[in-house]
Amino acid sequence: SFHKYGDFFPGTGDVKDVGVKSGKNYSVNCPLREGMDDKSYKQVFQPVLQKVMDLFQPGAVVLQCGADSLTGDRLGCFNLTLKGHAECVRFMKAFGVPLLVLGGGGYTIRNVARCWSYETAVLLDAHKDMAEDIPYNDYFDYYTPDYKLHLTPANMENQNTREGLDHMRNMILANLQNLQGAPSVQFQEVPPDFAAGKVRPGMEEDDTGRATGGGGVPGNSDPDARRDESYNADGGRKAEHPAEFFPDSKDAMKVD
């Protein structure tokens, strides 16, 4: 998550918030200051997401494109343009994994419409063909005064220094480095039968001393071969539970 942090609702998402217990280091937070511009955002977004993708190797990605980070947002305090915002979408699209793109925040409605229209075009590789002039529509007057697609950054100070962003990026990459490979079930070589080579009741021993099933069939070669399950792996007889039924005279029903 890349977000404004500090004196700002909800007040969570510090870089040190990395998850707890078995989920430790699986949560990635990138807290940012006011005035974040395109260049600074790219400085942290791309190396962090590259590392996340390399490490987690997801089968699909859900990308939430909140538009409250755009310049001129009523509640947000960043200074991104449409092109800077959409560069994140293009970067994630380039990984070639299934990508589910969602909306999010955004409180200057005309800029939300601009953003999601442009980023839909980026996903369809059609953004270069988009006209800069907003076409006439029922909401045309909302796009006053210039009626243009792209936004001009505001004249505001970027409180995110290069040194601060480098330090935070390195902290995040160090946290991710603590993870050992992708967090998924990996294929492991199936270990041999722990009882291989032991002669159990009902088995024979071949010329090499290897345990075989009846008739000289290796004990492990045929998974469908029947065994006497009343014996355990060490050759000892299993205890009989009093509630179980066994094929002997004890269970024969007496009929008058």
Side-chain angles (χ1 to χ4, degrees), residues 29-76:
N29 282 291
C30 188
L32 304 170
R33 298 178 180 272
E34 296 181 6
M36 173 62 71
D37 59 22
D38 294 352
K39 183 178 180 181
S40 297
Y41 203 84
K42 182 178 180 180
Q43 179 184 342
V44 291
F45 183 89
Q46 291 194 2
V48 169
L49 265 297
Q50 181 68 57
K51 183 67 173 180
V52 167
M53 295 296 290
D54 291 343
L55 192 63
F56 283 76
Q57 300 174 21
V61 172
V62 178
L63 182 65
Q64 184 184 29
C65 300
D68 48 352
S69 54
L70 292 173
T71 184
D73 191 80
R74 292 182 178 182
L75 296 184

Side-chain angles (χ1 to χ4, degrees), residues 74-118:
R74 292 182 178 182
L75 296 184
C77 48
F78 288 174
N79 201 20
L80 299 182
T81 67
L82 261 61
K83 291 183 178 179
H85 197 277
E87 175 62 19
C88 300
V89 176
R90 185 209 61 79
F91 182 76
M92 297 306 299
K93 177 176 179 286
F95 285 102
V97 301
L99 185 64
L100 176 61
V101 182
L102 309 176
Y107 305 96
T108 301
I109 303 303
R110 59 182 179 273
N111 291 347
V112 174
R114 285 177 163 114
C115 179
W116 293 344
S117 294
Y118 185 69

Side-chain angles (χ1 to χ4, degrees), residues 25-252:
N25 293 320
Y26 288 99
S27 179
V28 179
N29 282 291
C30 188
L32 304 170
R33 298 178 180 272
E34 296 181 6
M36 173 62 71
D37 59 22
D38 294 352
K39 183 178 180 181
S40 297
Y41 203 84
K42 182 178 180 180
Q43 179 184 342
V44 291
F45 183 89
Q46 291 194 2
V48 169
L49 265 297
Q50 181 68 57
K51 183 67 173 180
V52 167
M53 295 296 290
D54 291 343
L55 192 63
F56 283 76
Q57 300 174 21
V61 172
V62 178
L63 182 65
Q64 184 184 29
C65 300
D68 48 352
S69 54
L70 292 173
T71 184
D73 191 80
R74 292 182 178 182
L75 296 184
C77 48
F78 288 174
N79 201 20
L80 299 182
T81 67
L82 261 61
K83 291 183 178 179
H85 197 277
E87 175 62 19
C88 300
V89 176
R90 185 209 61 79
F91 182 76
M92 297 306 299
K93 177 176 179 286
F95 285 102
V97 301
L99 185 64
L100 176 61
V101 182
L102 309 176
Y107 305 96
T108 301
I109 303 303
R110 59 182 179 273
N111 291 347
V112 174
R114 285 177 163 114
C115 179
W116 293 344
S117 294
Y118 185 69
E119 290 180 354
T120 298
V122 168
L123 291 167
L124 297 174
D125 294 321
H127 57 289
K128 294 181 180 179
D129 298 328
M130 292 187 74
E132 173 63 7
D133 293 327
I134 300 292
Y136 185 79
N137 60 82
D138 292 342
Y139 303 95
F140 188 72
D141 289 340
Y142 280 77
Y143 299 95
T144 184
D146 57 6
Y147 306 100
K148 302 293 184 182
L149 172 64
H150 288 283
L151 304 174
T152 301
N155 184 21
M156 63 185 301
E157 178 187 2
N158 183 0
Q159 298 182 17
N160 301 272
T161 65
R162 182 176 183 83
E163 294 75 15
L165 292 175
D166 285 343
H167 176 69
M168 180 176 57
R169 180 194 62 206
N170 292 337
M171 286 184 64
I172 294 173
L173 296 180
N175 290 337
L176 290 170
Q177 195 62 38
N178 292 327
L179 295 175
Q180 299 298 320
S184 59
V185 177
Q186 299 186 10
F187 291 103
Q188 303 289 342
E189 182 179 355
V190 178
D193 188 348
F194 67 92
K198 293 184 179 180
V199 180
R200 304 179 187 176
M203 289 186 175
E204 304 170 359
E205 189 174 285
D206 62 16
D207 294 339
T208 65
R210 182 184 179 190
T212 66
V217 179
N220 295 328
S221 64
D222 184 2
D224 296 322
R226 293 182 176 273
R227 298 176 180 175
D228 188 342
E229 297 298 338
S230 61
Y231 291 88
N232 59 31
D234 295 324
R237 192 162 185 90
K238 296 180 182 178
E240 298 179 357
H241 192 279
E244 293 181 350
F245 293 97
F246 296 90
D248 55 27
S249 59
K250 291 189 304 180
D251 299 323

